């Protein structure tokens, strides 16, 4: 396979470039990169690409028994469709669960006081458990009867 890639370079010559990094370019801090990754994770899990292409409404509307319009946050019976607020709420919960794991990871730092370690463990576990059960509740609202025996 290497010989196949080497064939064009028997005729072509690789230019000798002397590129220098500009002095104003610096390595971003780890916290900045973490924030960029979390924001992009939030937007991707919120379905921003779907929202831009399909342009769904922010919330839906249905009529109650008396014929009055009632706002609806979840698009029922459609797993592959969503309202904008539904995607943002689900994305917030996914991010909350992810942040719970980050908080649990922070409890392993050396020289952490005992009270702080216990508080971080509590907050991390509550974030993960809350995120899991509320996502399950959302899925039950989206698909009634989902995971019910």
């Amino acid at each position: 396979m290497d010989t196949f890639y080497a064939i064009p370079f028997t005729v072509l010559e690789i230019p000798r470039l002397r590129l220098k990094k500009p002095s104003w370019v610096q390595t971003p801090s780890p916290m900045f990169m973490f924030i960029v990754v979390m924001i992009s994770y939030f937007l991707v899990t919120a379905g921003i690409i779907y929202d831009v292409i399909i342009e769904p409404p922010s919330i839906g509307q249905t009529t109650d028994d008396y014929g009055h319009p009632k706002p609806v946050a979840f698009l029922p019976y459609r797993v592959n469709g969503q309202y904008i607020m539904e995607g943002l709420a689900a994305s917030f919960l996914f991010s909350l669960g992810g942040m719970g794991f980050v908080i649990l990871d922070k409890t392993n730092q050396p020289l952490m006081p005992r009270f702080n370690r216990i508080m971080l463990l509590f907050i991390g576990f509550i974030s993960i458990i809350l995120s899991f059960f509320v996502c399950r509740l959302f899925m039950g609202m989206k698909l009634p009867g989902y995971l019910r025996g």
Side-chain angles (χ1 to χ4, degrees), residues 8-124:
F9 296 106
T10 58
V11 179
L12 301 173
E13 183 179 339
I14 300 172
R16 299 180 194 274
L17 298 176
R18 293 188 178 146
L19 300 175
K20 289 171 44 175
K21 182 180 79 165
S23 61
W24 51 269
V25 174
Q26 297 177 0
T27 304
S29 69
M31 187 52 71
F32 176 76
M33 289 309 299
F34 175 73
I35 290 170
V36 167
V37 168
M38 279 305 291
I39 289 172
S40 63
Y41 176 74
F42 178 83
L43 292 175
V44 168
T45 56
I48 191 77
I49 298 166
Y50 172 84
D51 293 341
V52 167
I53 294 172
I54 304 297
E55 296 178 2
S58 60
I59 59 171
Q61 187 174 347
T62 186
T63 56
D64 60 5
D65 296 337
Y66 301 108
H68 302 292
K70 184 172 90 172
V72 176
F74 291 92
L75 186 61
Y77 304 108
R78 295 235 356 246
V79 179
N80 59 349
Q82 71 176 17
Y83 295 128
I84 294 173
M85 292 303 292
E86 174 185 355
L88 292 175
S91 180
F92 171 74
L93 290 171
F94 296 153
S95 299
L96 179 68
M99 287 302 296
F101 282 109
V102 171
I103 291 171
L104 285 181
D105 182 55
K106 287 292 183 187
T107 60
N108 290 327
Q109 289 181 346
L111 304 175
M112 168 98 42
R114 179 175 162 75
F115 179 74
N116 291 3
R117 188 179 306 269
I118 291 172
M119 282 301 282
L120 286 178
L121 281 169
F122 179 74
I123 291 170

Side-chain angles (χ1 to χ4, degrees), residues 109-142:
Q109 289 181 346
L111 304 175
M112 168 98 42
R114 179 175 162 75
F115 179 74
N116 291 3
R117 188 179 306 269
I118 291 172
M119 282 301 282
L120 286 178
L121 281 169
F122 179 74
I123 291 170
F125 278 124
I126 290 297
S127 298
I128 293 168
I129 290 170
L130 183 73
S131 172
F132 173 75
F133 284 111
V134 175
C135 281
R136 232 181 120 153
L137 177 73
F138 281 3
M139 203 58 198
M141 289 161 56
K142 192 156 182 70

